[in-house]
Amino acid sequence: MSIQEQVIAWLARQEMEAYLVGGCVRDRLLGRPVYDLDVAVAGDGLALSRRLANHFRGAWYPLDQARSTGRAILRSREGGRLVVDVARFRGETLEADLADRDFTVNALAADVRTPSLVIDRHGGLADLEARLIRPVSEASIRHDPVRALRAIRLSAELGFALAPETERLLRRDGPALACVAGERLRDELARLLTLPHAAPYLERFDTLGLLTLLFPELEPLRGLAQPPPHHLDALTHSLETVHALETLLNQQQATPNIQHLLPFADRIQTHLAQPLSEARPRLVAFKLAALLHDTGKPAARSVDENGRLHFPGHHKEGARLTARALRRLRFNNAELHLAETVVQHHMRPLLLARQESVSARAIYRFFRETGQAGVEVLLHALADHRATYAPGARDDCGPELLALTGRMLADYWERQAERIAPPPLIDGYDLLRELGLQPGPHIGELLEAVREAQVSGEVRNRDEALALVRDLWAGRGAGRI
């Protein structure tokens, strides 16, 4: 018996009236994996959830004292994890509880004593069959505006369409999203962005007039013209960059477009799955960086004497605006740092690719300044470049950028000790003892010069490193460090 079945059987033995509700009933009907159970009870959900956690020797957390809601986190013998949220009815009865839910496909219930029998008061079974997201009531989104974002997320997650009345209510009541707490918006948005094909749904959200409520930094990009080879205005280009990024990450076959990346496909996926919070992988902040990477362009816009548009320094302003947006939505510092780094450095790979040759020293400096986020910066540059050109247009730098990305990822993952983080040949104490230098910022500058020479093969041992420092120190007056 699975841990889910054990929990349902245990709940059925309790004296309290209890029902499975919401997404777990929906997903069981759709044959989707179920990792969470939502339980509505005619009584004290806090007390029941605590007894449940104690019985299965799991962890317990109070979620909402006012609504008597508690969470039990349980482990199966096989190592699986099940989250069970137990809440008192929203109202006096199950019918009142279901009437207060968001969408019909989430307003389904099943008595824990007869879990195979579905209780449907709002046409949820018909909407499951028709694959539609439909609100339970006319006031559904007005009562909780975050449901506007949830409708888009569920549409993406389930592959369901929005019913016409859903679109109408999103347009009418969705603008109240601007008043929703950042944490709630963040959680729904993160669930959308973890999906492999989120970009079309971001575009759908924008057509409903809601995307720039979450990100007002994007509104000045709407209709902002860009010089060739750009073929899209800045906002459309930003959305297309997210789409190009997802296409790049989802491609599985060896095509000429991604052959340089194929050796790193598994490592890229593992890298982007690394958690930056308890519930959110790096991928979420990365996609947000792709969406927001050009937000600095309106402030940086200039026109030269030939009438050509330029956006000098837009990456710096864009990094600031990106950090501000993520901070407003209560993403954590690690996520802010990743997104800010991607936007700050998003032009560098293309600038490197346009050089006749790229030295080991240049690659070392790139990863020194971007760290682990260098992987995302490189992938973003590929997606940004793809989104710049119209289909079939001549691309003057794409192959070089792709080849350089493959080379730099190989350095990062396969030649880390030689090219990215070489083991130190000397340290600050050596400079103080051997060369009689005094402490100061010049010590770090000299050691960094040694590391750069080390990755480029100019020094290979301690004696050569000390000799280089002596030479650099002797020539300091000529600005050699």
Side-chain angles (χ1 to χ4, degrees), residues 320-381:
R320 185 187 71 81
L321 292 174
T322 296
R324 186 182 76 179
L326 268 66
R327 191 176 295 111
R328 185 176 60 247
L329 293 176
R330 300 295 189 268
F331 285 92
N332 66 30
N333 287 337
E335 292 165 309
L336 261 68
H337 177 71
L338 172 58
E340 193 173 15
T341 302
V342 172
V343 177
Q344 172 73 31
H345 296 279
H346 77 270
M347 300 293 294
R348 287 183 67 176
L350 186 59
L351 294 175
L352 288 172
R354 285 176 171 157
Q355 296 179 8
E356 288 188 12
S357 64
V358 179
S359 67
R361 191 185 297 261
I363 294 175
Y364 167 79
R365 288 175 175 173
F366 172 86
F367 282 110
R368 180 188 65 197
E369 294 169 25
T370 60
Q372 286 190 340
V375 174
E376 281 90 348
V377 175
L378 290 167
L379 296 174
H380 175 274

Side-chain angles (χ1 to χ4, degrees), residues 74-93:
L74 314 178
R75 296 283 181 182
S76 68
R77 292 192 183 96
E78 297 77 25
R81 180 176 182 266
L82 180 69
V83 177
V84 185
D85 287 347
V86 184
R88 186 173 56 211
F89 285 159
R90 309 176 184 190
E92 297 298 320
T93 64

Side-chain angles (χ1 to χ4, degrees), residues 211-222 235 292 294-296 298 318 320-326 328:
L211 180 64
T212 56
L213 289 173
L214 265 63
F215 298 107
E217 295 83 1
L218 290 172
E219 187 59 40
L221 302 184
R222 194 181 305 279
L235 178 56
L292 297 165
D294 273 346
T295 49
R320 185 187 71 81
L321 292 174
T322 296
R324 186 182 76 179
L326 268 66
R328 185 176 60 247

Side-chain angles (χ1 to χ4, degrees), residues 63 120 154 181 234 263 315 429 452:
L63 291 184
D120 178 16
L154 283 171
H315 57 289
Y429 291 108
E452 289 192 6

